Amino acid sequence: MKYLLVLLLLSTTFVYGQQYAKGRVYCDLNGNGKYDRGEKLLAGVGVTNGSDVVLTNEKGQYTLPISGEATIAVIKPAQYRTAFDKYNKPCNYYYYKPEGTPSREGYKGIAPTGKLPSSIDFALVPQEESATFTALLMGDPQPHFEDHISYFSKAIVSELEGIKGVSFGISLGDVNDENFDLFDPYSREISKIGVPWYNVMGNHDMDFEAKTDEESDDAFETFIGPANYAFNYGNAHFLILDNVLFPNPRSAASPKSYWGGFRADQKRFIENNLKLVDKNKLVVVAFHIPLLGENAIRKEDKAFLFECLKEFPHVLLLSAHLHTQNQYLHTQEDGWQGSAPLHEYNAGATCGDFYSGYLDEAGVPQSLMADGTPKGYAFLRVDGNKYSIDYQASGKPADYRMSVNIPRQVVKDRYTPAFITVNFFMGSAKDKVEYRIDSGEWKTMKKEEVTDPDHDYLVQCWNRDEAVKYARWPAASVPASHIWRVRVPSALLMGKHTVEVRVTDMFGNTHFGKGEYEIVEPVRMYP
């Protein structure tokens, strides 16, 4: 009898632990958010529980196993949209958290959802989506104080408010800086841009009181939405991932440290999702921590992602985190086994160098990044399964793509240590950078990993300025991955000379910059 009771208890526990989420996906023609008789049921639409991914049947129905907590979400198909909340964030999910999430210091968690509903339905509204479209990309808004929200609004949002020709935007993590009170103000500002907005979770969006990696997502999920999801637009598939592991799984790690990587359930989601994606699509995978060495991301997790993507001929990776701007081209040396190098665009930050440095005329910190990249945002332009990316510096003209640094004067026919230095903010190893003087012959410049002279000057001025009125100091300069140089020619006629710069970037686009310098006669330095 005792063994029978134990068996009965085990059976009851199994039934309670293993449930099934069921529902349907339908075309919500009248946009009222509920299924009405006669509305079309949509077959072949992906739905996930955060691990498994299934397609709806011919009646628009799906069934997913649920064990414990789960986020059930629809994977938006092309030519449809989901509903949006008041901040233009997509409502494409249902949290199943029977006991809710903890109310920790600084915020209240998600309220208990109770029993699993008998049907979790997802409404989709038809919309026209061209295979040619533009998306906005932002790295690290990262507000920590209320003032930072104001800076973000003045420097970034005000330039983009009401923008035309943009289909949606993505923030690539660190939408917060460990101040949970600023999640909503950030979302409020983003909503002013007027387009649907997707968010990636970053290391500063985590709940550091969490005991597990799953719990570390609680704050982000409470205020922003799921940390792992996917959607389609045009002929592109977007996969959004939280790649921040916390607590750090390395045994010797400090208590508040983290490591780049994926949990087992995330890996199943990645694999199951990509199995259903057409190989002809452009696959865009967005996460926060770039796929650099093992100190940045766990080696086996990077290898896993590369393995899942290797059969896709059209892939773009998006990351942020570094507060510099970089183009990484992953090859076999990095573990990538695809037919061509895998491009990862590591985006610059909208907060620049953490809202640091001198204030501009609008009272916003200059915040030049340590590699000389101005704070700003990028445009991802997609055409079928091809793409290009442009970077727009905040507060600059639409064609401002580079800084050209030249000394004011050099002495005729004398050796000079000075350079013509071009910092092409979107620069990559595939770019060609040329210069000419006074409309002469175009000559190639040399790519070098050196510091940006404008940032060097900024740091030196700051260090010597006794009247500094802003508390956050600029970071020390770091060698940039997008600088080209050539020694300033001094064997020319005396007088002023015009320097033109021409950049042909990795996408085949051409950009221009210019500057000038003066050649002066030698002076007798000693009697």
Side-chain angles (χ1 to χ4, degrees), residues 237-433:
H237 180 79
F238 289 80
L239 179 56
I240 311 296
L241 300 171
D242 160 25
N243 75 336
V244 186
L245 294 172
F246 177 85
N248 193 324
R250 289 178 283 197
S251 58
S254 59
K256 289 189 71 172
S257 71
Y258 53 87
W259 197 9
F262 305 109
R263 301 187 305 266
D265 60 298
Q266 294 177 286
K267 290 182 180 180
R268 291 194 296 271
F269 171 58
I270 294 167
E271 187 173 28
N272 291 329
N273 174 69
L274 290 175
K275 283 179 180 177
L276 301 175
V277 176
D278 185 341
K279 296 294 192 298
N280 187 52
K281 284 181 178 258
L282 170 66
V283 176
V284 181
V285 187
F287 39 79
H288 184 61
I289 299 175
L291 303 185
L292 301 179
E294 195 169 352
N295 284 334
I297 187 161
R298 195 158 56 181
K299 183 178 180 180
E300 58 265 35
D301 295 351
K302 176 181 175 180
F304 172 83
L305 183 61
F306 282 2
E307 179 67 22
C308 291
L309 292 169
K310 72 177 184 180
E311 300 300 327
F312 289 89
H314 311 288
V315 182
L316 168 65
L317 306 180
L318 301 174
S319 61
H321 186 55
L322 299 181
H323 295 256
T324 56
Q325 188 152 253
N326 305 279
Q327 310 286 352
Y328 300 119
L329 299 171
H330 299 286
T331 64
Q332 288 186 356
E333 292 181 0
D334 306 301
W336 171 244
Q337 300 300 317
S339 58
L342 175 60
H343 178 208
E344 177 180 351
Y345 169 51
N346 180 238
T350 61
C351 74
D353 180 26
F354 303 98
Y355 301 108
S356 65
Y358 293 100
L359 303 182
D360 64 17
E361 294 178 356
V364 176
Q366 181 183 5
S367 203
L368 189 67
M369 285 176 251
D371 66 344
T373 304
K375 62 182 178 293
Y377 43 88
F379 293 98
L380 169 62
R381 307 188 193 280
V382 176
D383 185 2
N385 54 23
K386 309 298 181 185
Y387 68 90
S388 64
I389 307 173
D390 283 330
Y391 185 73
Q392 178 59 53
S394 170
K396 298 292 186 179
D399 62 350
Y400 183 74
R401 295 290 180 268
M402 69 193 79
S403 63
V404 180
N405 185 284
I406 313 173
R408 187 172 58 86
Q409 292 180 336
V410 297
V411 176
K412 180 171 175 55
D413 296 330
R414 289 272 182 88
Y415 169 82
T416 173
F419 289 86
I420 298 171
T421 303
V422 175
N423 189 341
F424 177 56
F425 311 127
M426 278 290 294
S428 79
K430 290 186 173 183
D431 299 343
K432 183 178 182 180
V433 179

Side-chain angles (χ1 to χ4, degrees), residues 83 93 138 156 173 219 281 290:
Y93 60 92
M138 292 186 184
I156 305 298
K281 284 181 178 258

Side-chain angles (χ1 to χ4, degrees), residues 26-39:
Y26 62 94
C27 180
D28 188 16
L29 284 175
N30 58 14
N32 66 356
K34 64 180 182 179
Y35 177 70
D36 297 307
R37 185 182 296 274
E39 288 185 323

